Amino acid sequence: MTMLWPALPFDPQETLISYANRLSMSHTGRGMERLLRDHGIHHGHFVSNRPEAVAGVADATGHALIDV
């Protein structure tokens, strides 16, 4: 998977869904569904907090899984 650049910092006080939306608006100008789809991450799995979907976002952003 290609890492997103520029990287945006993840605020631990922010929800992962909020971060994904912010990240997507920065990179695509659209909501998180577009960014997730572009990276092969199932939207429903992501919002359900499935580990493989969360790991996909961590990989795409260069963050450690434990941090997100």
Side-chain angles (χ1 to χ4, degrees):
M1 180 179 302
T2 304
M3 192 177 333
L4 294 169
W5 186 258
L8 296 180
F10 177 71
D11 181 351
Q13 304 248 345
E14 179 176 33
T15 67
L16 188 54
I17 290 174
S18 173
Y19 176 66
N21 269 313
R22 184 168 57 90
L23 190 65
S24 187
M25 289 304 293
S26 172
H27 287 279
T28 70
R30 298 183 180 178
M32 74 173 164
E33 288 184 50
R34 173 64 183 260
L35 183 77
L36 295 173
R37 183 175 54 246
D38 287 351
H39 285 272
I41 301 167
H42 188 277
H43 177 262
H45 295 178
F46 179 74
V47 297
S48 297
N49 208 29
R50 286 198 183 175
E52 69 278 1
V54 174
V57 171
D59 288 344
T61 59
H63 296 306
L65 181 57
I66 191 79
D67 293 339
V68 296

